[in-house]
Amino acid sequence: MHRPPNAPTPSGGAGPALTQGLKGRQITMISIGGVIGAGLFVGSSTAVAAAGPAVLISFLLAAVLVVLVMQMLGEMAVASPDTGSFSTYADRALGRWAGFSIGWLYWWFYILVIPIEAIAAGEVVAGLTSVPGWIPALVMIALLAGSNLLAVRNYGEFEYWFALLKVVAIVAFLVLGCLAVLGVLPGSDAHGVSHLWSDGGFAPKGGVAVLAGLLTAMFSFQGSEIVTIAAAESEEPRKNIRKAVRAVVWRLGLFYVGSIFVVVSLVPWNSDDLAAGSYQAVLDRMNIPGAGRIMDVVLVVAVSSCLNSAIYTASRMAFSLARRGDAPAAFAAASASGVPRNAVVASTVIGVVAVIANYLLPGVFTYLIASSGAIALMMYMVIAITQYATRRKGPEPGEVRMWAFPYLTIATIVFIAGVLVLMAVLPGHRLELWLSLALAAVLVAVGAVRQRRDSGRPSAGASARGKAPAAAGSPARADTSSR
């Protein structure tokens, strides 16, 4: 049953609301597809080249971290489903400055995902058709933005089929890979697992390289949290979040670790073939006909999925910030069909400007991308600290609980801090870290000023932070548009 247009949203506030237009099957596929992007099909080759076969350890460590963070986020999201997800929870547990800064950082991250994925799709299409890459890039943004503007079910349906196609591609790859490893795939030039140790050893570049591979793996996993945002627009948010959190372990294990195992088993880690992408390198060695064209199709689907989710996620975070008084009030407006159209349009327009900047001012675009390089880690850190604070001062959690609290939560915080230090040490990631920290510092300062300015005013947000998490669909904060 759809929520009436004027009912309050989980984000709180009065006025037109988002609708519960996503189905359970769509949420399931969103939770699966959220972590499957071009980073797996192509970008993973960078991690393989950096660490050799020991990249398996890099991906295992990254997977464990994401599983722990998702368990913490799931604990809070099941207790209080909300379109603002971790931004809203940080606002309640840590203060307005925290929700404000991490919300805007997350919005900025996905604003930049829009041009990254559109440009990637444009390059693939340009290679197939000889059309200038910027044309298909802008066309794809327009199509998916238009779909998002109509109704949330359009986003859900597109993402359902995108994710399904990605899953089919990965499962087929894993089946072929296992047959090749066992030596029973007809016509394959690759078999066995000897490449795990025969090309300089399991860790040919040492332990430091494993940590370098960890950074690439970490950023490849970005997107798991989207399901907690989308679930707030589903009919059974708690049930859907609970299912997604429980399934994250096997998803990451099967899709990422399984795929990387096939890659490093069948292709030498230092092979020049990996430059075209890890999946394509393996398919070529299996002598799969048309491997290049197959991967082109898979890549277009993967980046279209990520682009679709980026537009959706950025608009919902902007909507949530606006409903809390931390973004322009126009972003809080929702159409009769429950779509925050102003937030969708604004996010998309900025994404289009970034695409144009890539072709006209590539140097500027490079710095823009670098400014989001550490945001995923910052988000994980905020989620862990928020869960710690919420659990310490709130009621006992419900159906989803963080394991071994507070020990695993503290260990996660320490581990993320260590990864941030690693970024400062490794030359290839310093620019990303410092630009991301600079942007974060500005937003934290603005958030702190806003919090201090409003500290003397009656604030529903302040009272909400001192209460138990609100139930799904109930106001967590009163309307703050008067700010």
Side-chain angles (χ1 to χ4, degrees):
M1 182 175 67
H2 289 275
R3 192 192 308 271
N6 292 322
T9 70
S11 299
L18 306 183
T19 58
Q20 294 174 323
L22 294 174
K23 305 297 182 183
R25 65 178 177 84
Q26 295 170 334
I27 293 294
T28 298
M29 295 310 292
I30 289 170
S31 68
I32 294 174
V35 293
I36 306 172
L40 173 60
F41 298 114
V42 179
S44 56
S45 60
T46 302
V48 173
V55 74
L56 283 169
I57 297 176
S58 303
F59 274 85
L60 280 171
L61 288 173
V64 169
L65 175 61
V66 173
V67 167
L68 292 175
V69 170
M70 282 300 295
Q71 188 71 17
M72 288 183 255
L73 182 56
E75 177 182 294
M76 297 182 287
V78 167
S80 179
D82 193 286
T83 302
S85 188
F86 52 86
S87 173
T88 300
Y89 309 142
D91 183 299
R92 296 173 187 164
L94 305 178
R96 182 177 181 181
W97 66 270
F100 174 90
S101 55
I102 196 61
W104 278 112
L105 281 171
Y106 191 70
W107 176 84
W108 178 244
F109 179 92
Y110 272 102
I111 282 297
L112 293 178
V113 169
I114 293 174
I116 289 172
E117 303 299 344
I119 291 165
E123 290 177 352
V124 174
V125 174
L128 295 173
T129 63
S130 298
V131 173
W134 64 269
I135 295 178
L138 294 179
V139 168
M140 185 164 289
I141 292 178
L143 289 175
L144 292 177
S147 171
N148 271 269
L149 284 169
L150 296 177
V152 69
R153 65 176 177 271
N154 291 351
Y155 159 70
E157 199 62 22
F158 268 106
E159 198 55 30
Y160 175 85
W161 290 107
F162 283 150
L164 182 60
L165 289 171
K166 288 190 290 186
V167 169
V168 168
I170 292 174
V171 171
F173 177 80
L174 290 173
V175 170
L176 291 172
C178 289
L179 292 176
V181 166
L182 295 173
V184 296
L185 182 66
S188 175
D189 292 334
H191 56 83
V193 295
S194 62
H195 289 302
L196 289 175
W197 60 81
S198 63
D199 304 297
F202 182 70
K205 294 189 174 182
V208 174
V210 174
L211 296 177
L214 171 65
L215 292 175
T216 301
M218 284 282 303
F219 301 129
S220 297
F221 287 155
Q222 175 75 10
S224 300
E225 76 292 338
I226 292 176
V227 69
T228 62
I229 295 173
E233 293 185 72
S234 68
E235 296 175 351
E236 298 179 282
R238 289 188 174 89
K239 176 183 176 181
N240 290 322
I241 293 170
R242 190 167 60 248
K243 287 172 58 180
V245 170
R246 288 175 178 172
V248 71
V249 176
W250 69 262
R251 288 201 309 267
L252 294 180
L254 176 65
F255 295 150
Y256 270 90
V257 180
S259 293
I260 296 301
F261 172 79
V262 169
V263 171
V264 295
S265 295
L266 299 177
V267 180
W269 67 270
N270 52 1
S271 171
D272 293 336
D273 295 339
L274 287 171
S278 49
Y279 267 51
Q280 183 166 332
V282 174
L283 293 176
D284 285 338
R285 295 204 169 217
M286 292 178 184
N287 291 317
I288 302 297
R293 288 299 176 91
I294 292 172
M295 286 312 304
D296 285 341
V297 173
V298 171
L299 279 176
V300 170
V301 170
V303 298
S304 298
S305 171
C306 292
L307 174 56
N308 191 38
S309 289
I311 294 171
Y312 170 83
T313 305
S315 65
R316 267 41 177 197
M317 186 56 70
F319 173 84
S320 176
L321 286 166
R323 295 302 288 260
R324 288 179 270 149
D326 287 333
F331 290 174
S335 67
S337 58
V339 175
R341 289 180 176 171
N342 292 337
V344 172
V345 170
S347 300
T348 303
V349 167
I350 296 174
V352 169
V353 171
V355 170
I356 296 172
N358 174 67
Y359 292 102
L360 299 181
L361 302 167
V364 172
F365 185 72
T366 299
Y367 281 101
L368 291 178
I369 297 302
S371 71
S372 67
I375 289 177
L377 287 170
M378 294 177 187
M379 177 193 69
Y380 294 153
M381 178 75 85
V382 168
I383 289 172
I385 295 173
T386 299
Q387 187 268 337
Y388 181 87
T390 300
R391 184 81 168 264
R392 280 297 190 189
K393 65 183 182 182
E396 284 297 305
E399 298 173 79
V400 176
R401 301 169 63 95
M402 178 57 186
W403 308 299
F405 179 85
Y407 307 107
L408 276 181
T409 298
I410 294 173
T412 301
I413 294 170
V414 172
F415 182 79
I416 295 171
V419 176
L420 288 170
V421 171
L422 178 64
M423 290 187 71
V425 172
L426 295 177
H429 296 277
R430 287 175 186 163
L431 179 63
E432 297 174 4
L433 176 64
W434 297 123
L435 286 179
S436 297
L437 287 176
L439 178 59
V442 171
L443 289 172
V444 167
V446 173
V449 169
R450 293 174 67 88
Q451 180 171 305
R452 176 173 293 185
R453 185 194 68 189
D454 293 341
S455 60
R457 305 180 189 178
S459 170
S463 62
R465 287 190 286 271
K467 297 178 181 178
S474 63
R477 298 177 63 166
D479 184 20
T480 54
S481 59
S482 59
R483 291 192 179 121

